[in-house]
Amino acid sequence: MDSKITIFLALVVVASGCAQQESENSPEKGLEVKDFSISEKSLVPSQQAYITLVLKNHHTQQINLRDISLYNTGLLKADKQGCRPENIEVATADVAPEMECTWKVEAPEDIGAFNSKSVSLKLNIEYDSQLEPTEPFKIDFKSPEDITETSNLEKTYTNSEIKLDISTENPAPSQGRLIDLTISSAGKGRVASDFSMDYSPSGVFEDCDQQKEIVVGSSVEFSCQISSDQTVERNLMISTSYKYVKAPTLDVEVVKR
């Protein structure tokens, strides 16, 4: 085979591999803790080590990072070195931006009569997040006399933090029908605020709750009235915003020399 053809085919293979890797980005992964590790898991007195946190953002809407901090450091002295970049960008169809934060930790000079002491470091990642569907919930509005049969219409939206389930009967009479919504946890973190709801187009929704209180360990269930002044198919978009907290842990041991 001609060497030029061989090189061309190799470039095609490499390029396709890169494209496949980039396309792995998915909004269903939310804010991913890609790495949370320490350079040395076992420290002797006065020894220093570095903790690295790598966040990968799959959210296609802006999230606001409120806090990234270590706590429960116990006998270790921790000094945050900073994050690069300072703010994480939103994801695109092909790219999930990353942020890296580092801390310098130092073991104490003396651990007394103990041969070793363990510390379970905890990380607090607190941010404003949202779930905004990428695809609409399509409802076909018809005059009551034109509806001879209905079927249950269901759709689920998620971002690895929460899950939004929507269901109703379709088609719907133009005069109105209830649509059922359920918001539940879908990740290892926790929702730390009420849910702020947004409905579009606003003229279709009537007397829908703008705020829903989260109950820890439970899902939030409620219904909403929808109607239309036209007998057409409508694209409904229901989104919610909230505060979210992730708290991964890291075990470190301090041992005598």
Side-chain angles (χ1 to χ4, degrees), residues 27-28 59-61 130-138 155-159 162-166 181 183 196-200 205 235-242:
E28 294 186 359
H59 283 282
T60 54
Q61 296 86 33
Q130 56 185 307
L131 173 60
E132 186 170 311
T134 54
E135 297 179 355
F137 189 77
K138 296 179 180 291
K155 201 168 184 65
T156 297
Y157 304 93
T158 185
N159 60 1
I162 65 169
K163 182 176 67 170
L164 172 63
D165 293 302
I166 306 175
L181 298 95
I183 306 175
S196 294
M197 306 300 301
D198 185 72
Y199 310 91
S200 178
F205 295 89
N235 291 330
L236 308 187
M237 299 291 285
I238 302 174
S239 60
T240 182
S241 57
Y242 51 92

Side-chain angles (χ1 to χ4, degrees), residues 42-59:
S42 181
L43 303 175
V44 296
S46 298
Q47 183 181 358
Q48 294 181 344
Y50 285 88
I51 291 175
T52 300
L53 168 69
V54 178
L55 298 175
K56 191 170 186 177
N57 188 24
H58 300 272
H59 283 282

Side-chain angles (χ1 to χ4, degrees), residues 21-204:
Q21 183 178 11
E22 287 182 344
S23 64
E24 290 178 356
N25 179 37
S26 168
E28 294 186 359
K29 294 181 181 179
L31 183 64
E32 175 187 1
V33 179
K34 186 178 178 181
D35 181 41
F36 181 45
S37 60
I38 188 169
S39 57
E40 297 289 340
K41 285 195 172 183
S42 181
L43 303 175
V44 296
S46 298
Q47 183 181 358
Q48 294 181 344
Y50 285 88
I51 291 175
T52 300
L53 168 69
V54 178
L55 298 175
K56 191 170 186 177
N57 188 24
H58 300 272
H59 283 282
T60 54
Q61 296 86 33
Q62 188 68 47
I63 63 171
N64 175 37
L65 286 167
R66 289 172 171 259
D67 180 55
I68 302 177
S69 59
L70 282 175
Y71 66 102
N72 196 45
T73 55
L75 47 78
L76 297 176
K77 179 183 177 182
D79 182 22
K80 189 174 183 179
Q81 305 295 292
C83 298
R84 292 188 177 86
E86 293 184 357
N87 298 300
I88 197 163
E89 299 294 327
V90 298
T92 64
D94 298 322
V95 179
E98 294 185 359
M99 168 189 280
E100 181 174 307
C101 303
T102 57
W103 291 261
K104 181 173 70 175
V105 295
E106 183 177 353
E109 295 181 359
D110 182 38
I111 57 173
F114 297 95
N115 290 323
S116 66
K117 276 192 174 184
S118 297
V119 178
S120 185
L121 291 165
K122 295 186 182 296
L123 178 68
N124 184 69
I125 307 171
E126 184 178 311
Y127 55 100
D128 296 321
S129 188
Q130 56 185 307
L131 173 60
E132 186 170 311
T134 54
E135 297 179 355
F137 189 77
K138 296 179 180 291
I139 296 288
D140 190 14
F141 286 97
K142 292 185 175 182
S143 300
E145 59 271 17
D146 294 332
I147 299 176
T148 58
E149 186 177 358
T150 64
S151 61
N152 190 40
L153 180 63
E154 298 179 338
K155 201 168 184 65
T156 297
Y157 304 93
T158 185
N159 60 1
S160 88
E161 298 164 0
I162 65 169
K163 182 176 67 170
L164 172 63
D165 293 302
I166 306 175
S167 65
T168 190
E169 291 294 312
N170 192 50
S174 55
Q175 286 89 337
R177 167 162 285 163
L178 285 178
I179 186 170
D180 299 319
L181 298 95
T182 301
I183 306 175
S184 54
S185 176
K188 295 181 179 180
R190 62 181 177 86
V191 176
S193 71
D194 292 345
F195 292 106
S196 294
M197 306 300 301
D198 185 72
Y199 310 91
S200 178
S202 57
V204 171

